[in-house]
Amino acid sequence: MDRREIKSNFLTTTVESAVNWARKNSLWPMPFGTACCGVELMAVLAARSDIARFGAEAIRFSPRQSDLLIVAGRITIKMMPVLQRIYQQMPEPKWVISMGACASSGGVFDTYSVIQGIDQFIPVDIYIPGCPPRPEGILDGLIKLQKLIEKEKFSDYSLPNSS
Amino acid sequence: MFLQNLITKVTEQFSDSILDTTEFRGETVLHIKGECVLEVLEVLKSEGFHFLADLTAVDNLEMGGFERYSVVYHLLNHGNGERLVVKAYVPENNPNLPSVESLWKTADWQEREVYDLFGITFDGHPNLIRIMNPDDFKGHPLRKDYPRIGKGERKDFPIVERNIGTKIGRSES
């Protein structure tokens, strides 16, 4: 193998950036649609917006097969334990998108039964504003999440909690 | 004409438990005492009002009315298209009235809903448990003296932390 061949057949990188590159371009979302945001989320999957362009088209309805939780809609006090259980069932590494005004802040539903922002009780990486957000907004949130994943460092990971 | 005749007949039959008859936007409302609701509705059903279109309740805290709560039955006669609203009043200190589940099966879940949100109990109901709120919920939130933002129940959850990556500070950028 001469030098020119080596140059055109190899590329060097770090394991970290190779893994992050693979992770960010192959997100498997788990939709948690409880309201109209869930219906709007379907529009992002369809041909016009086509979330497949960003590698996140493999929607799984099982938390054990997905690494991106999209909370789309208002979460009530009866639903919050379910959402927490689903978050805990997802394998690491995992990310959470809070889609729309209701999931992020309770929206207009300032009542006894509606959680005023899911980030009080589960970790959230990206908030998407809107009521409901446009498909472009959801794609923008996804791209922002990809940029976060790109920058993750293995050395920053703490050891998993045993609990 | 059918409705007027029926109202006259029922008013004569239950003269001491019919409180009033009013009309609002073309709908006749029959105001009755809570304890006799089963007997009155049984007669109305046998006279043609076969269908219970809706069962709900109203808290008359600041609206006035014969009692604090009224349970509202919307009846429909499929034969001639007539509608009739029956309001059964129950007092604040003992919000209790007979169940109409024996007349209409659909009253089962609707009475559970009224019990869950207003705290009105139904005698003879086969399974009077909460239907919308969580089983361990305390209070009846559609009562007008229940605070709109609740009593702290929406803040009462364990906080789930990140398992790995806690140091990343993902929220920074």
Side-chain angles (χ1 to χ4, degrees):
Chain A
M1 203 183 275
D2 79 8
R3 245 185 110 131
R4 225 174 304 149
E5 253 182 289
I6 291 175
K7 216 175 170 185
S8 57
N9 280 297
F10 287 84
L11 63 93
T12 56
T13 179
T14 59
V15 175
E16 203 170 65
S17 47
V19 168
N20 283 344
W21 174 82
R23 279 178 179 168
K24 78 165 190 169
N25 288 309
S26 172
L27 287 165
W28 289 39
M30 150 97 207
F32 197 86
T34 52
C36 38
C37 275
V39 181
E40 288 298 306
L41 189 58
M42 297 171 202
V44 191
L45 303 168
R48 183 178 281 265
S49 299
D50 196 9
I51 203 171
R53 293 179 293 157
F54 305 94
E57 80 281 14
I59 294 277
R60 290 298 120 130
F61 293 93
S62 160
R64 295 176 198 280
Q65 298 169 1
S66 47
D67 56 5
L68 170 62
L69 179 63
I70 301 180
V71 183
R74 64 194 88 90
I75 300 296
T76 58
I77 53 175
K78 205 172 180 179
M79 211 47 153
M80 197 66 212
V82 180
L83 179 65
Q84 288 186 328
R85 173 68 71 89
I86 281 181
Y87 176 77
Q88 285 169 328
Q89 282 177 342
M90 287 168 62
E92 297 281 359
K94 56 190 170 190
W95 299 275
V96 179
I97 288 181
S98 170
M99 174 183 166
C102 296
S104 306
S105 71
V108 296
F109 302 101
D110 187 11
T111 69
Y112 70 97
S113 60
V114 179
I115 304 289
Q116 303 294 296
I118 56 163
D119 56 351
Q120 296 174 69
F121 304 114
I122 64 168
V124 173
D125 296 285
I126 294 288
Y127 303 83
I128 303 175
C131 183
R134 300 268 316 160
E136 298 90 312
I138 299 162
L139 292 176
D140 186 49
L142 187 76
I143 293 166
K144 284 203 162 65
L145 179 66
Q146 288 181 332
K147 285 184 178 152
L148 286 185
I149 297 171
E150 207 174 65
K151 281 186 276 178
E152 288 196 351
K153 287 188 166 51
F154 293 173
S155 57
D156 285 343
Y157 281 178
S158 56
L159 285 172
N161 292 330
S162 51
S163 57
Chain B
M1 207 58 210
F2 160 82
L3 200 56
Q4 278 170 359
N5 291 340
L6 182 58
I7 297 278
T8 317
K9 186 186 163 188
V10 171
T11 314
E12 279 168 11
Q13 194 176 343
F14 300 97
S15 54
D16 49 348
S17 43
I18 306 274
L19 299 168
D20 196 8
T21 310
T22 56
E23 197 169 315
F24 183 72
R25 290 185 184 265
E27 275 203 343
T28 310
V29 185
L30 199 60
H31 304 261
I32 64 173
K33 287 179 182 170
E35 62 263 23
C36 63
V37 65
L38 189 59
E39 290 86 3
V40 174
L41 288 186
E42 204 163 5
V43 171
L44 290 175
K45 189 184 179 187
S46 65
E47 294 288 337
F49 284 102
H50 284 287
F51 186 67
L52 180 66
D54 196 8
L55 193 167
T56 182
V58 178
D59 184 354
N60 302 312
L61 182 61
E62 285 163 3
M63 290 204 299
F66 296 98
E67 296 283 359
R68 167 88 188 264
Y69 303 108
S70 48
V71 181
V72 188
Y73 303 82
H74 292 253
L75 304 179
L76 171 62
N77 185 336
H78 279 130
N80 53 16
E82 295 274 12
R83 287 177 188 273
L84 177 63
V85 179
V86 178
K87 278 192 173 185
Y89 289 86
V90 286
E92 185 174 1
N93 51 17
N94 180 29
N96 176 278
L97 74 170
S99 168
V100 296
E101 193 266 347
S102 53
L103 297 178
W104 293 282
K105 282 285 172 209
T106 183
D108 182 344
W109 282 17
Q110 288 174 325
E111 285 178 350
R112 278 175 65 189
E113 188 181 346
V114 170
Y115 161 71
D116 188 2
L117 299 173
F118 287 94
I120 298 168
T121 52
F122 294 88
D123 279 339
H125 191 282
N127 183 31
L128 197 65
I129 55 171
R130 288 190 184 274
I131 191 171
M132 294 175 129
N133 285 305
D135 291 335
D136 56 353
F137 193 85
K138 289 186 179 59
H140 302 285
L142 238 53
R143 288 185 173 182
K144 291 293 178 198
D145 50 4
Y146 197 91
R148 175 179 54 84
I149 59 168
K151 296 175 174 173
E153 55 270 62
R154 62 185 186 181
K155 295 192 170 70
D156 189 22
F157 289 98
I159 295 169
V160 176
E161 304 278 359
R162 289 181 204 277
N163 250 353
I164 63 168
T166 44
K167 283 193 273 178
I168 295 177
R170 284 169 181 158
S171 54
E172 278 171 21
S173 48

